[in-house]
Amino acid sequence: MTVLATADVGALLQLVPVQRAGVGLLLAAVGLPIIGVVIVGLDIMPVRFAMMHVALLGVAIGLLTGIDPMVCALVACALAGAGVAPLASSPSGLSGAMGLLMSLAIAAALLLLAVSGVNASGAFALLWGSILSVGSADLVLLGVLAVVVPALFLWRRRDLALLLHDRELAQTSGVPVRALTLVLLVLVAVSVAGAIKLTGALLVDALTLLPALAARRLGTSLTSITVWAVSIGITVNLTGFLLALWLDWPPGPVLVLTAGAVVLAVHLVPERRIRPWRALASVSPSSSH
């Protein structure tokens, strides 16, 4: 039975949609776990749900206008991320803004779908994703994120550490807080929207948040946490995807369960007596670019 299953997986890997899905997951594993580190550091957990609803609104607009729904979803999420940036006077303010955005977006999406008479099944399909329908445009977006997100981290890693530690400390230390927050929120929004095709909006945590949660337990600095997050993301995505193909199960739930198992396993490891990366950031407020 094992030989047959392995042979079946090998045959599936020869299919172009499966190959595109695998490449998409690998690209996602490079950029999206870093986005998860940002989400945890800024304490904006509701951002995933807010952007899910904004993406739903974008898809509804796309269905109504005839424009590609995923393009509309990406644009809507990017604009929403930029729009809430001025409200981000503090980490708690970000969470409040995301809650407001989530409520307004879902209300507008439902109203638009009801008034226009558009078939809502296409809009709500993004909740579950369609990993085998990943196309060239999706791979380009994930590829851009896989380059831009790590590049931003390498360029502004000290500023990011200060911002994720304490917004006021970062501002008094000369960090361009407003501009950096704006860029981060737009990247977070676009990344969440870009991951929807792979896992669905409801399971996007497998690509963003869960690797970051596991990495925070293992890392001793922001840099090491980021490296751990990407490594865990690659491992989880490859393992979960191959396991889903082998068992003929939906990839999204398998990815989440695989990532969740890693998080639980990591938290069984005794915590070392070290200074957390946030403390290191506050000790070294100077910026290095």
Side-chain angles (χ1 to χ4, degrees):
M1 180 176 179
T2 303
V3 175
L4 179 59
T6 303
D8 289 342
V9 171
L12 288 174
L13 291 175
Q14 301 300 315
L15 301 177
V16 173
V18 175
Q19 292 174 356
R20 285 181 175 174
V23 172
L25 286 172
L26 279 177
L27 292 174
V30 176
L32 299 191
I34 303 177
I35 293 297
V37 173
V38 172
I39 291 174
V40 174
L42 290 177
D43 192 21
I44 50 172
M45 303 296 184
V47 68
R48 300 113 62 216
F49 304 107
M51 292 307 149
M52 176 183 74
H53 292 114
V54 171
L56 180 63
L57 174 59
V59 170
I61 294 173
L63 292 174
L64 179 63
T65 60
I67 303 174
D68 187 339
M70 284 308 299
V71 172
C72 291
L74 286 169
V75 172
C77 286
L79 292 176
V84 298
L87 303 177
S89 58
S90 66
S92 59
L94 283 172
S95 296
M98 290 300 171
L100 174 63
L101 179 62
M102 178 171 57
S103 301
L104 294 178
I106 189 61
L110 293 176
L111 181 62
L112 181 61
L113 290 171
V115 172
S116 65
V118 173
N119 186 354
S121 61
F124 286 102
L126 68 86
L127 297 178
W128 296 273
S130 180
I131 192 170
L132 295 181
S133 66
V134 170
S136 299
D138 302 304
L139 293 181
V140 169
L141 172 63
L142 293 171
V144 170
L145 291 173
V147 172
V148 171
V149 175
L152 176 64
F153 170 78
L154 292 174
W155 180 39
R156 291 282 189 174
R157 59 185 179 277
R158 189 58 60 96
D159 290 352
L160 285 172
L162 281 169
L163 178 60
L164 299 184
H165 167 64
D166 188 291
R167 182 183 178 88
E168 293 183 359
L169 176 61
Q171 196 158 13
T172 57
S173 301
V175 176
V177 170
R178 291 187 178 180
L180 190 55
T181 301
L182 173 63
V183 172
L184 288 177
L185 288 177
V186 171
L187 282 177
V188 167
V190 172
S191 297
V192 171
I196 285 177
K197 182 70 75 68
L198 294 174
T199 63
L202 296 177
L203 302 177
V204 74
D205 286 350
L207 304 181
T208 55
L209 190 61
L210 294 183
L213 291 176
R216 280 170 61 87
R217 181 77 176 188
L218 298 172
T220 61
S221 66
L222 180 59
T223 299
S224 63
I225 287 173
T226 302
V227 172
W228 271 111
V230 173
S231 301
I232 292 170
I234 292 174
T235 302
V236 165
N237 286 5
L238 286 179
T239 303
F241 186 54
L242 292 175
L243 187 61
L245 291 178
W246 179 43
L247 298 174
D248 193 22
W249 288 355
V254 175
L255 288 170
V256 172
L257 292 174
T258 304
V262 171
V263 173
L264 292 175
V266 165
H267 277 74
L268 295 178
V269 177
E271 191 171 4
R272 291 167 288 180
R273 296 181 179 275
I274 55 173
R275 286 191 300 169
W277 65 268
R278 290 191 172 195
L280 295 175
S282 63
V283 171
S284 307
S286 60
S287 175
S288 63
H289 308 307

